[in-house]
């Protein structure tokens, strides 16, 4: 148990991987452990797509904005919200599925993300490295084509997995008091915000980031460069269309996902 706590506290994202194989048995074991994760109503409304094939990785590479670890990592895991399988089971059993709505997407997305995180914890505890790819929700429509996801299935995140070939320093976190509230939410005064973010802003890497991007504050690097409103609006529209096309926004009162 102490080993697990140590693994959790010392973990960091790994973006460079050695070519060493991640064995089939090891991956099976990680995914078996991940599938013990809590799941809404024990429905397991998720699916995990394992990609090892270089041809498939090449197809996925541009959809993950050409991030090198897509090719370098021996394994990619795409975690999907999936009401397709469960709805089919319902229909085969004279039960009418009512999962073609946004709440059901959230349910399945939460299930999928929880499984993903357990897989990451298990992998890291075994010495493997992982990196989440947020590009999955940006390019969900194209990833659906490449991975041949049927209606009722939406990719929510991808994880690259492999043996580390880099040992980066841990990156910063906000002080614990910034994110933990006791009993009720305690909203932040301007002074508290300044105090809680001051260490992050003072770091050399943060200052360099600001300078390189010709900005006057670290916050501007986020709002003007890394996570811009125009991009957020654009990708939101694409994702909403994906949810509609995949059958999650069709009929709030009655109907079925597939
Ligand atoms: C949902 C999600 C999406 C992410 N997407 C990317 C990504 O596309 N590329 C990348 O290099 N890192 C990605 N990351 C990793 C974060 O950048 C990383 O977790 C963060 O900088 C903190 O670093 P640490 O994990 O080493 O503590 C993502 C992390 C999460 C949770």
């Amino acid at each position: 148990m102490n080993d697990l706590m140590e693994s959790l506290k010392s973990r960091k994202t790994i973006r460079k991987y050695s070519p060493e194989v991640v064995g089939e048995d090891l991956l099976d074991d990680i995914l078996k452990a991940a599938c013990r994760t809590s799941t809404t109503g024990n429905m397991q409304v998720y699916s995990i797509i394992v990609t090892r094939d270089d041809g498939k990785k090449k197809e996925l590479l541009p959809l993950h904005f050409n991030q090198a670890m897509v090719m370098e990592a021996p394994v990619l895991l795409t975690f999907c919200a999936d009401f397709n399988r469960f709805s089919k089971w319902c229909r085969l059993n004279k039960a009418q599925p009512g999962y073609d709505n946004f709440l059901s997407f959230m349910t399945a997305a939460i299930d999928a993300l929880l499984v993903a995180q357990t897989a990451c914890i298990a992998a890291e505890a075994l010495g493997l490295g992982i990196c989440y790819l947020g590009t999955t929700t940006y390019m969900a429509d194209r990833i659906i084509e490449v991975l041949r996801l049927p209606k009722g299935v939406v990719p929510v995140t991808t994880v690259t997995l492999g043996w580390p070939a880099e040992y980066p320093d841990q990156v910063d976190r906000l002080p614990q008091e910034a994110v933990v509230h006791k009993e009720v939410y305690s909203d932040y005064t301007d002074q508290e915000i300044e105090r809680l973010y001051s260490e992050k802003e003072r770091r050399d890497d943060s200052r360099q980031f600001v300078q390189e991007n010709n900005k006057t504050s670290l916050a501007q690097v986020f709002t003007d460069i890394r996570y811009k409103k125009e991009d957020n609006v654009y990708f939101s529209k694409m994702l909403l269309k994906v949810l509609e096309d995949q059958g999650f926004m069709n009929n709030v009162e009655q109907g079925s996902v597939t």
Side-chain angles (χ1 to χ4, degrees), residues 11-13 15 67 69 131-135 157 171 173 226:
R11 69 152 302 278
K12 47 219 170 183
T13 289
R15 298 183 174 87
Q67 298 190 78
M69 55 267 198
C131 181
Y132 276 97
L133 300 180
T135 33
T157 199
V171 300
R173 288 292 193 267
R226 295 190 68 193

Side-chain angles (χ1 to χ4, degrees), residues 63-65 67 69 131-140 143 155-159 227 235 239:
L63 310 184
H64 290 297
F65 299 178
Q67 298 190 78
M69 55 267 198
C131 181
Y132 276 97
L133 300 180
T135 33
T136 306
T137 40
Y138 298 174
M139 301 301 280
I143 292 170
V156 290
T157 199
T158 302
V159 170
Y227 301 98
F235 289 119
L239 188 55

Side-chain angles (χ1 to χ4, degrees), residues 1-13 116-128 130 132 170-171 173:
M1 195 50 71
N2 286 342
D3 287 352
L4 178 59
M5 286 302 273
E6 195 41 51
S7 168
L8 290 170
K9 286 179 181 170
S10 61
R11 69 152 302 278
K12 47 219 170 183
T13 289
Q117 182 54 20
T118 308
C120 290
I121 290 170
E124 289 177 329
L126 292 166
L128 287 151
I130 66 97
Y132 276 97
Q170 270 195 315
V171 300
R173 288 292 193 267

Side-chain angles (χ1 to χ4, degrees), residues 90-128:
C90 291
R91 249 177 257 114
L92 279 172
N93 289 280
K94 301 189 173 60
Q96 179 64 37
Y99 309 116
D100 55 347
N101 43 67
F102 184 66
L103 182 76
S104 299
F105 168 70
M106 281 299 294
T107 299
I110 290 168
D111 260 24
L113 290 171
L114 294 176
V115 169
Q117 182 54 20
T118 308
C120 290
I121 290 170
E124 289 177 329
L126 292 166
L128 287 151

Side-chain angles (χ1 to χ4, degrees), residues 112-237:
L113 290 171
L114 294 176
V115 169
Q117 182 54 20
T118 308
C120 290
I121 290 170
E124 289 177 329
L126 292 166
L128 287 151
I130 66 97
C131 181
Y132 276 97
L133 300 180
T135 33
T136 306
T137 40
Y138 298 174
M139 301 301 280
D141 55 344
R142 304 279 310 283
I143 292 170
I144 284 168
E145 282 169 24
V146 171
L147 300 181
R148 301 193 204 140
L149 307 180
K151 229 172 162 179
V153 185
V154 174
V156 290
T157 199
T158 302
V159 170
T160 59
L161 181 73
W163 298 104
E166 64 167 357
Y167 299 91
D169 291 336
Q170 270 195 315
V171 300
D172 66 295
R173 288 292 193 267
L174 293 173
Q176 190 77 349
E177 54 174 319
V179 296
V180 178
H181 301 256
K182 301 223 164 103
E183 311 303 340
V184 293
Y185 191 96
S186 149
D187 206 355
Y188 309 88
T189 63
D190 290 355
Q191 287 84 351
E192 277 162 350
I193 293 289
E194 277 165 6
R195 183 173 56 82
L196 294 170
Y197 283 84
S198 68
E199 197 186 313
K200 188 188 261 306
E201 288 171 349
R202 276 204 310 268
R203 292 171 59 90
D204 286 346
D205 51 354
S206 298
R207 286 173 191 271
Q208 199 180 332
F209 227 13
V210 174
Q211 209 175 21
E212 277 169 4
N213 289 293
N214 273 326
K215 294 289 158 193
T216 57
S217 73
L218 183 62
Q220 285 176 359
V221 178
F222 286 87
T223 59
D224 301 359
I225 293 169
R226 295 190 68 193
Y227 301 98
K228 287 189 286 200
K229 173 158 182 170
E230 65 196 85
D231 293 347
N232 294 336
V233 170
Y234 176 77
F235 289 119
S236 292
K237 282 185 185 152

